[in-house]
Amino acid sequence: MNQENHSGARSAADQLAEPEPLPLLTTKLYRPPITPDLEQRTRLLARLDQRRHRPLTLISAPAGYGKTMLASMWLESCGCPSAWLSLDKGDNDLPTFVRYLLAAVLGAFPTLELKTQSLLDAPTVASVPVLARYLLNDLAQIKDRFILALDDVQVIQDQAILDLLGELLLHPLSSMHLVLIGRRDPPLPIASLRARRQVTEIRARDLRFTSQETAALLGQVLSRDIDGATATEWTERTEGWVTGLLLMALSLRHRPETDDVNIGVPERSPYLQDYLFAELLVHLPPVRRNWLLLTSLLDRFCAPLCRAIGQPEAATDPASLAGIEFIRWLQEHNLFLVPLDDRSEWFRFHHLFQQLLQGVVHEHVEPEQIKAAHRRASRWFSAKGLIEEALQHALAGGDVRVAVQLVEQHRYHLMNTEKWHRLERWLKLLPADAVAQSPLLTNTRAFLGFFSGQDREMAIGPQEANRLVATQSPETATVQLVQAETAVVQAVLDIIAGQPEGAVTRAQRSLELLPAQALYIRSVAVAIVGVGLQMQGEFKQGVAVIRETFADPSWPAAIRARNGLYLCVAHFQEGDLPGVLRSASKYLVLAEQFQLAESRSHCRYNLGIGHYLRNELSQAEPYLLALLDDRAQSASSYVTVGAFALALLYYAQNRVSEAEQVIDLVRAYVETLQDTFAWAITRAIAIELALRRGKLAEAHRLSPSVDFDLRPPYWLFYVPQLTRIKLLLAEGTGQSLKEARARLEAMDEKMHQIHRNNVRIEVLALLALVHHALGDEAAAVETLSAALSLGKRGGFIRTFVDLGGPMASLLSRLPHTGKTERSDTSLYVDRILAAFGPRTDREQPPTTRSTMGSSSHVVPTEAHGLIEPLTEREHEVLALLAQRLTYKEIGAQLFIAPGTVSQHAVRIYAKLQVNSRHQAVVKAQALGILPQR
């Protein structure tokens, strides 16, 4: 394929140097400067200073009352650190709002480490309570008093943002003073704050100019002395409205100094601003008036941008001004210009003045000229890499085709850097029919679905994209690109469905066609090839493909870190838990180094699950806890399954209340999401837990509403389809057992074909229990032996232990159990049996008692001895563990590091065949290693 048709083929290293296509507009973070000619609002500044101890200041008044200038004056004079954010209508998006908020805070405190940032690139947008918790924790790092000012808060209508502000006010920080500036009160609990004297309110009546302030302002603008009577009359007629005063002064400035400044001033009315504004415009040369009106189409502007949007035919007019001269003319004539940076490069009009200009632009400028100005602005912003503004102006200029092309051209960079929320935001700016008619944007929606777990988007995207190009020549570059992208999406679906041959073929073909800059999509294709080869029995080759491809350091860090997930999938499906742990450990370092939240969560998930399945519970717990704690940064399906594993871990340690808290927490979290798969998993897990508690009736009641087959069994630790089979096993009737056997045999055949050994181990273990329940002991032993053969390599322990007493009983009956010569398999069985805990009623079925926690086992050593005796140091550590000292306290007593204490504790637990400190102490006392208390 000719890659030059897709912005040129470049190396991965080139991509790393590519600028961010949508940088934050730093001009929004600058407090409007206070110039010496501005009238100081001394009385108001004093009031603000006196009440700075309150959590909130609300400056609320209609347009033109000087709200922003007052706040800026206060921040300049108050003597404490401050952060400023000017809001606009584009900030009605929770992630965007929080990004700007964090940028404002970092501008004042650049050394802060803000964990909230990592939430914004997570697969799903975090809930408001989670965001608020992270944000408050981040801001709590600031010990000195500081002020955070949000200007033009009236533009915020998104309820999630309002809820976030409400949370900040509900839990105010002692160090932070929030200032909200707007034309109307935001829908926040202002009344309750007022009742508790926690808010300072500055309103229109407070902002009105006094006669003395009016005299000073008019004298400055009109360059003449203003007597008290005149100042009083102007103040009364404008009711102290500063913008009215300025407009009146500007409308009279063209008159000779000998004229009476009171002539022609109308009474205060709703039409005063229109009258004065018209008086101002009528005296401008037409070319400057039109340039002024066209500039009002811009929310911010600089000299080059003003020059770019000007009408070409006006360049020959003597009254025409170039970009920088136009800016200077605006400044010289006090035309409500607000600087946006400390270099005086970027400006905006006062919002009221901009609205007045926009209100009459159609009266003075032809509609086509207005659209042409928007299109010129779009081209300028696009050339500067400011894509969202370019999009907005292209759409305002009626050029939907250009807007679509902008997203098509820049989507790869957002994918490569995992800016999925921003990409989705761009798509929402476009008309829905325009997205639907673009095969490339249809594919983009499919990749968004892949990232966020929306199976429907993944399924329909390739079909629609291929339909849109069906009538075009297959040799064209666009068609080949569409086909390459759709092939990757379809290959992902094939892998999930267990069809590796077609997936590998599609992925390999797509790698030949995809342009070099499609780094993210190419990485997915490489992963499909690697995992697909493993599923075809070529495990070593598949792993080599992934490792060798991503060994190139020119790949972006985010994509190299995802390599850890791909390797973990291959190792896990192969049943190689040590390989999972090695890969996850290695790439967790990379994810931590580059603060890659999603990749970090994948590594934590795999480390937690790997250790859990190997019954290394003390090592699994911190990873699973971290995954749950940072759930807003993680894929919801991984969080759900990881939380289930954590609950099982707690049940195994008889920490029942903690297990139930975890389940309640993850259920409440998933309810806030729109992830259908995670929700289905959560409901299936509820049935699983009901069965483990022996509540068969409850499990039956819940099961009709659960879709166990939303996805086929794949690389997740939990397989919903097996819960349905456990329900049949628990029923225990001849018919239910035969149905369970048929389902398990069919599933085993399929999993065997595609080498998903992770699923096969549990399938075969369950099938052994079914054979045993049906009275076929030979088949039970043969099937269980097959499960053990698969599980031995990876050290799978909990897969068997979590099936409860019946599995322990069946394991103890295996022919090799108890033999003098110990094979690898018999030693493996001994390890599994040891993990069941003290001997109990082995034959008691899992439907009549809980199988979480202690179940039956056979002690694999002589009498009550240990497999390996404790060392002298381990005896010392164990004695101090019994005293309930922390690792740090034990280390201080023994003069060793806390990490070394942790390693000793892990070895002690292994030798005692327990999973917690409490169990270690109890067993050591029972064995006489520790004295009884």
Side-chain angles (χ1 to χ4, degrees):
M1 184 174 94
N2 182 5
Q3 295 178 350
E4 293 181 357
N5 291 318
H6 302 284
S7 304
R10 292 175 289 169
S11 70
D14 293 332
Q15 302 304 308
L16 289 172
E18 184 175 315
E20 179 81 9
L22 183 60
L24 292 176
L25 305 180
T26 56
T27 54
K28 291 157 61 79
L29 310 179
Y30 283 93
R31 175 176 53 82
I34 304 302
T35 56
D37 58 333
L38 282 174
E39 181 68 21
Q40 289 292 312
R41 311 302 304 273
T42 307
R43 57 190 173 86
L44 295 178
L45 295 176
R47 187 199 300 185
L48 292 170
D49 275 333
Q50 292 167 1
R51 301 176 182 179
R52 198 167 69 187
H53 63 281
R54 298 179 176 181
L56 174 66
T57 288
L58 175 64
I59 305 178
S60 180
Y65 272 87
K67 303 180 293 296
T68 299
M69 284 299 107
L70 172 65
S72 185
M73 285 179 185
W74 184 40
L75 267 58
E76 184 172 271
S77 65
C78 69
C80 72
S82 61
W84 182 279
L85 173 56
S86 296
L87 299 165
D88 57 49
K89 59 182 180 296
D91 296 322
N92 270 294
D93 171 76
L94 184 59
T96 301
F97 174 84
V98 176
R99 285 184 200 279
Y100 274 110
L101 191 65
L102 296 178
V105 172
L106 284 174
F109 304 97
T111 60
L112 281 182
E113 293 185 5
L114 302 178
K115 289 188 67 176
T116 310
Q117 184 67 49
S118 61
L119 296 181
L120 303 178
D121 294 320
T124 55
V125 178
S127 65
V128 168
V130 171
L131 269 174
R133 174 163 58 89
Y134 273 75
L135 185 56
L136 286 167
N137 287 340
D138 281 342
L139 296 177
Q141 299 175 73
I142 305 171
K143 302 306 179 185
D144 297 330
R145 292 281 296 178
F146 73 100
I147 299 174
L148 173 60
L150 306 181
D151 193 16
D152 288 321
V153 73
Q154 79 279 348
V155 303
I156 297 301
Q157 299 176 354
D158 184 86
Q159 190 58 49
I161 299 174
L162 296 171
D163 290 343
L164 178 64
L165 292 175
E167 290 285 331
L168 297 183
L169 293 173
L170 184 63
H171 308 285
L173 296 171
S174 59
S175 60
M176 185 178 79
H177 183 89
L178 183 62
V179 180
L180 301 179
I181 310 154
R183 297 183 186 180
R184 56 182 177 273
D185 289 6
L188 295 170
I190 304 299
S192 61
L193 292 169
R194 184 185 300 125
R196 298 195 300 270
R197 302 178 68 82
Q198 291 185 323
V199 59
T200 298
E201 298 176 74
I202 304 292
R203 300 195 175 274
R205 62 180 178 274
D206 306 303
L207 291 163
R208 288 173 182 150
F209 266 42
T210 64
S211 295
Q212 292 80 4
E213 290 169 332
T214 298
L217 176 68
L218 294 180
Q220 185 177 63
V221 175
L222 297 175
S223 301
R224 66 182 76 180
D225 292 332
I226 304 297
D227 60 67
T230 300
T232 299
E233 181 182 2
W234 279 58
T235 302
E236 290 175 352
R237 294 198 180 190
T238 61
E239 297 181 2
W241 180 44
V242 61
T243 299
L245 290 168
L246 282 170
L247 282 169
M248 289 169 67
L250 291 172
S251 69
L252 298 176
R253 193 166 55 180
H254 66 281
R255 300 183 181 183
E257 290 189 15
T258 56
D259 278 10
D260 184 350
V261 296
N262 290 325
I263 295 175
V265 177
E267 295 294 331
R268 174 72 167 142
S269 74
Y271 305 103
L272 174 61
Q273 65 185 32
D274 297 334
Y275 167 82
L276 296 173
F277 183 64
E279 282 287 301
L280 172 65
L281 287 184
V282 74
H283 296 286
L284 293 178
V287 64
R288 294 189 187 179
R289 181 184 62 217
N290 285 3
W291 211 329
L292 182 67
L293 292 168
L294 290 177
T295 306
S296 74
L297 302 174
L298 305 169
D299 289 331
R300 63 176 184 141
F301 51 85
C302 57
L305 178 55
C306 288
R307 184 167 54 249
I309 70 161
Q311 301 177 61
E313 62 272 15
T316 58
D317 192 302
S320 178
L321 297 172
I324 190 62
E325 286 81 7
F326 179 66
I327 297 291
R328 289 172 182 162
W329 176 76
L330 292 173
Q331 291 173 317
E332 291 168 1
H333 287 74
N334 295 315
L335 289 178
F336 300 92
L337 201 62
V338 179
L340 294 177
D341 57 33
D342 54 4
R343 299 180 303 277
S344 294
E345 293 179 0
W346 283 93
F347 303 86
R348 68 169 173 85
F349 286 126
H350 186 286
H351 293 317
L352 176 59
F353 189 65
Q354 182 186 24
Q355 290 173 7
L356 293 171
L357 289 170
Q358 290 178 347
V360 298
V361 65
H362 292 282
E363 299 175 15
H364 298 274
V365 184
E366 294 295 327
E368 187 50 44
Q369 290 179 333
I370 295 173
K371 289 185 177 180
H374 276 300
R375 291 193 290 268
R376 289 192 291 271
S378 176
R379 288 194 292 271
W380 189 91
F381 280 118
S382 177
K384 300 299 179 183
L386 302 170
I387 306 305
E388 188 156 328
E389 287 173 288
L391 279 172
Q392 292 168 343
H393 283 287
L395 293 170
D399 205 334
V400 176
R401 180 184 60 83
V402 167
V404 168
Q405 289 176 346
L406 283 169
V407 180
E408 290 177 345
Q409 291 165 4
H410 292 273
R411 64 200 175 104
Y412 282 153
H413 186 84
L414 294 189
M415 290 182 185
N416 296 344
T417 53
E418 295 192 355
K419 300 295 187 292
W420 295 101
H421 297 307
R422 189 172 297 170
L423 181 56
E424 186 172 23
R425 176 182 170 88
W426 287 6
L427 291 178
K428 288 180 178 177
L429 289 175
L430 301 173
D433 59 339
V435 175
Q437 291 303 311
S438 166
L440 295 178
L441 296 188
T442 300
N443 275 346
T444 303
R445 293 216 64 90
F447 283 107
L448 278 167
F450 172 54
F451 176 76
S452 60
Q454 299 297 319
D455 291 2
R456 183 175 182 277
E457 289 287 356
M458 290 177 60
I460 65 175
Q463 300 173 13
E464 286 299 306
N466 284 324
R467 181 185 63 80
L468 290 169
V469 298
T471 59
Q472 301 179 33
S473 169
E475 301 303 319
T476 63
T478 299
V479 172
Q480 292 192 14
L481 179 58
V482 169
Q483 290 176 345
E485 292 181 357
T486 57
V488 175
V489 178
Q490 187 58 55
V492 171
L493 295 172
D494 287 345
I495 288 290
I496 293 174
Q499 300 169 355
E501 297 87 353
V504 170
T505 301
R506 287 188 172 93
Q508 289 173 332
R509 175 61 176 159
S510 70
L511 287 169
E512 298 174 2
L513 300 174
L514 284 167
Q517 63 265 37
L519 293 173
Y520 173 79
I521 301 178
R522 293 180 67 86
S523 74
V524 174
V526 171
I528 290 167
V529 173
V531 174
L533 287 171
Q534 178 273 322
M535 293 171 65
Q536 295 180 75
E538 301 291 342
F539 170 63
K540 291 183 179 180
Q541 183 182 351
V543 168
V545 166
I546 297 173
R547 284 181 176 158
E548 291 170 8
T549 300
F550 295 113
D552 182 355
S554 65
W555 284 89
I559 292 178
R560 282 190 288 129
R562 285 184 70 87
N563 173 42
L565 170 63
Y566 305 146
L567 285 172
C568 286
V569 168
H571 283 290
F572 191 64
Q573 290 192 149
E574 189 68 15
D576 177 17
L577 293 180
V580 171
L581 296 176
R582 285 194 305 272
S583 297
S585 297
K586 175 182 177 180
Y587 287 96
L588 180 60
V589 174
L590 185 65
E592 295 280 9
Q593 179 183 352
F594 289 96
Q595 292 296 299
L596 302 168
E598 190 197 7
S599 294
R600 181 172 57 208
S601 70
H602 287 150
C603 293
R604 287 172 173 170
Y605 165 84
N606 281 288
L607 286 165
I609 295 299
H611 283 304
Y612 174 77
L613 288 172
R614 289 171 59 84
N615 202 41
E616 297 160 349
L617 304 188
S618 60
Q619 293 164 270
E621 182 179 2
Y623 292 116
L624 296 174
L625 269 175
L627 177 70
L628 186 60
D629 286 344
D630 290 341
R631 54 193 173 277
Q633 306 175 20
S634 313
S636 49
S637 56
Y638 286 88
V639 170
T640 305
V641 175
F644 176 51
L646 182 61
L648 295 182
L649 184 154
Y650 287 151
Y651 277 123
Q653 297 176 339
N654 292 318
R655 298 158 65 182
V656 177
S657 62
E658 292 173 82
E660 292 174 348
Q661 288 173 11
V662 167
I663 294 300
D664 290 342
L665 179 64
V666 77
R667 182 185 297 116
Y669 172 66
V670 171
E671 285 176 353
T672 67
L673 307 176
Q674 296 181 341
D675 190 321
T676 53
F677 182 54
W679 177 236
I681 293 175
T682 304
R683 301 181 75 179
I685 286 172
I687 298 172
E688 178 87 16
L689 294 177
L691 287 172
R692 288 167 181 262
R693 293 192 301 267
K695 297 183 178 181
L696 182 58
E698 180 182 340
H700 271 300
R701 179 178 59 80
L702 295 173
S703 61
S705 61
V706 176
D707 184 356
F708 294 100
D709 295 309
L710 195 60
R711 285 186 184 175
Y714 63 124
W715 51 83
L716 284 181
F717 152 69
Y718 172 64
V719 180
Q721 288 85 348
L722 295 182
T723 295
R724 177 168 55 190
I725 292 171
K726 292 172 188 176
L727 186 58
L728 294 171
L729 176 59
E731 290 175 6
T733 67
Q735 181 178 353
S736 69
L737 291 172
K738 289 177 181 178
E739 182 181 348
R741 181 177 61 189
R743 286 179 179 272
L744 287 168
E745 288 175 345
M747 189 181 297
D748 180 58
E749 182 180 0
K750 176 63 177 176
M751 296 300 103
H752 180 62
Q753 291 173 355
I754 59 176
H755 297 269
R756 278 191 176 146
N757 296 330
N758 60 303
V759 180
R760 285 197 73 207
I761 296 168
E762 188 171 4
V763 167
L764 289 169
L766 272 172
L767 185 56
L769 291 178
V770 172
H771 285 313
H772 174 66
L774 287 169
D776 191 344
E777 293 300 320
V781 168
E782 180 183 357
T783 306
L784 183 55
S785 297
L788 292 168
S789 178
L790 285 174
K792 179 174 61 177
R793 173 189 176 187
F796 283 77
I797 302 292
R798 298 304 309 184
T799 304
F800 300 95
V801 174
D802 288 341
L803 293 176
M807 176 53 66
S809 176
L810 195 56
L811 284 166
S812 65
R813 298 179 186 180
L814 291 178
H816 53 73
T817 304
K819 288 185 177 180
T820 303
E821 294 183 6
R822 315 297 289 162
S823 66
D824 289 345
T825 300
S826 61
L827 291 173
Y828 175 45
V829 172
D830 289 344
R831 287 173 55 206
I832 298 172
L833 288 171
F836 275 91
R839 179 187 295 270
T840 56
D841 299 327
R842 290 189 186 162
E843 291 297 341
Q844 200 167 2
T847 55
T848 60
R849 66 174 179 87
S850 169
T851 60
M852 304 282 196
S854 297
S855 299
S856 56
H857 88 292
V858 175
V859 179
T861 58
E862 53 189 2
H864 293 291
L866 301 178
I867 297 174
E868 180 182 355
L870 299 179
T871 66
E872 182 178 351
R873 176 64 84 185
E874 288 166 354
H875 275 284
E876 293 174 337
V877 171
L878 178 60
L880 294 173
L881 287 171
Q883 298 177 31
R884 300 185 178 181
L885 299 184
T886 66
Y887 287 174
K888 185 176 181 180
E889 292 168 335
I890 294 172
Q893 289 202 25
L894 300 178
F895 301 100
I896 58 178
T900 305
V901 176
S902 174
Q903 294 171 4
H904 283 306
V906 169
R907 287 193 289 270
I908 291 168
Y909 296 167
K911 291 179 180 181
L912 291 173
Q913 303 165 30
V914 297
N915 298 308
S916 69
R917 178 195 295 238
H918 175 72
Q919 291 177 359
V921 172
V922 170
K923 188 163 186 179
Q925 290 171 343
L927 295 175
I929 299 173
L930 289 176
Q932 294 284 347
R933 290 183 181 273

